[in-house]
Amino acid sequence: MPDPIHQFEIKRLIPLDLFGLDATFTNSALFMLLAAVLVSGFLILSMQGRSLVPTRLQSLAEMLYEFVANMVRDTMGHGHDDHGHGHGHDQGYMKFFPLVFTIFIFILTLNMLGMIPGFFTSTSHLAVTAGLALLVFVTVLIVGFAKNGFGFLKLFVPSGVPIYVLPLVVAIEIISFLSRPISHSVRLFANMLAGHITLKVFAGFIIMLLGAGGAYGILSILPLTMATALTALEFLVAFLQAYVFAMLTCMYLNDALHPGH
Amino acid sequence: MAETHHNTETGVAHEAGHKAGFPPLDPANFAPQIIWLAITFALLYGLLSKIALPRIGEVIEERRDRIQRDIDAAEALKAETEKALRGYEQSLADARSKAGGIARETRDKLATETDKKRHASEAEVAAKIADAEGRIAAMKANALQNVGDIAAETASAIVGKLIGVDVSAAEAKKHL
């Protein structure tokens, strides 16, 4: 049976050293670079026409833009009086739109690239997802304190809680805040990892049954059906996890902007 | 010398990876991935936030403005059309009421004229009728007179034939 873990192996392509740190260009780095090049290439080239009546590619780029813009507006827009009208190009929260968009499209592309057989899934490595989650966490801390000063600490003191349970609630709030980057990164990492292992295991069953020959060969239709269904599910998960990651990013940034509630 | 050093290092890391058996959680893989994540993410963020996204935003904004302008223009035209339509309907109503007035006037005039003519001809007819009735009465009286003479003559003839007595018509007329 083929090793289902083999697909996560890091291949060291170009050994590099950055101030004593191991900055080897690996297959993971290759796919992250590929994703960055593909995304920026697509988004820049598809808009080359800047036409009022968009081409197919331009309208795909615009759809992605509107999709993320709506997500940012819906999660970070409330609390503003002007919710619902205007398209918010000079509202404070929209300056985080490029960050959320980059996170969403980067993860989505990495996840989707990983669905191509033989390709490496960078988001199935904890280092990558944790790096992204920490980026969000640190951004939230910086923005939170820069915008609200110590008022940001109100985030840990929910209003309307009786004074005698307040210490307990504050402790829980602080722990849950600190565990955010963990759940944020592990959710994506574990989903991608588990999905790819499961696919590989079922694909392995097909080969084993076919290899056994005779009546077993006919039985291989079962894991084949399963693997097909799982592939469809994995495409959904690949999109959904990118969406969830971006959505949580919006919600955490919203906390940084409005810690009062 | 440095190269062999590197090789052994990667070799060790590789072996460690195999020993750990699980590359996604192998600490030896963390540094290179995080460094390249930082590089690629920064590159992508820079390209998107400086070039791609403002461009898409501009195009969408431009289209929205254009559509808004077109809608405004269409609304202005619609208002104008409605004004023209109202004016048309107003003049149509005016013309209609004027036409109604003329029709009523004409009808009244015609009716009075007709009435007058009718009264004249009715009077004429009534006179003719009265005249005719007088003539009829005269003829009737005359006729009745003749009927008495005929009856007397007939009666005298019948009596003469039946009983052989000659009765004059005047005699017969007396007994009628």
Side-chain angles (χ1 to χ4, degrees), chain B residues 76-120:
Chain B
L77 286 174
K78 198 181 155 205
E80 218 168 280
T81 314
E82 266 168 9
K83 220 173 85 187
L85 192 68
R86 264 199 304 281
Y88 162 74
E89 268 168 5
Q90 185 57 49
S91 52
L92 190 69
D94 284 354
R96 201 171 277 157
S97 67
K98 210 189 272 176
I102 291 171
R104 203 175 316 114
E105 219 168 86
T106 315
R107 204 183 315 117
D108 291 352
K109 213 169 75 190
L110 287 177
T112 46
E113 227 164 78
T114 316
D115 269 1
K116 223 187 287 165
K117 274 188 187 159
R118 190 157 47 87
H119 285 310

Side-chain angles (χ1 to χ4, degrees), chain A residues 3 17 26 38 56 59 66 82 114 146 170 194 202 212-213 225 229 239 242-244:
Chain A
D3 178 14
D17 194 277
T26 61
L38 280 179
R56 255 179 259 193
S59 103
E66 293 277 23
D82 43 9
V170 168
F202 278 99
T225 315
F239 168 77
Y243 176 72
V244 166

Side-chain angles (χ1 to χ4, degrees), chain A residues 24-38:
Chain A
T24 305
F25 189 75
T26 61
N27 54 345
S28 178
L30 175 68
F31 277 92
M32 288 192 272
L33 191 62
L34 181 65
V37 169
L38 280 179

Side-chain angles (χ1 to χ4, degrees), chain A residues 225-238:
Chain A
T225 315
M226 198 66 194
T228 310
L230 278 173
T231 306
L233 180 70
E234 278 313 300
F235 273 108
L236 181 69
V237 169

Side-chain angles (χ1 to χ4, degrees), chain A residues 104-148:
Chain A
F104 172 71
I105 200 77
F106 189 57
I107 294 175
L108 181 67
T109 311
L110 288 177
N111 290 355
M112 286 303 178
L113 281 176
M115 288 306 294
I116 301 170
F119 278 30
F120 183 81
T121 318
S122 301
T123 41
S124 66
H125 274 247
L126 187 59
V128 174
T129 62
L132 289 167
L134 282 172
L135 169 73
V136 173
F137 187 70
V138 171
T139 308
V140 166
L141 281 180
I142 292 172
V143 171
F145 280 115
K147 275 232 157 199
N148 313 286

Side-chain angles (χ1 to χ4, degrees), chain A residues 22-23 28 48 52 62 125, chain B residues 28 32-33 36 55 58 63 66:
Chain A
D22 180 13
S28 178
Q48 211 70 306
L52 276 181
E62 286 178 14
H125 274 247
Chain B
Q33 289 199 91
W36 279 98
R55 203 181 278 187
E58 258 167 48
R63 181 178 308 128
R66 172 70 181 277

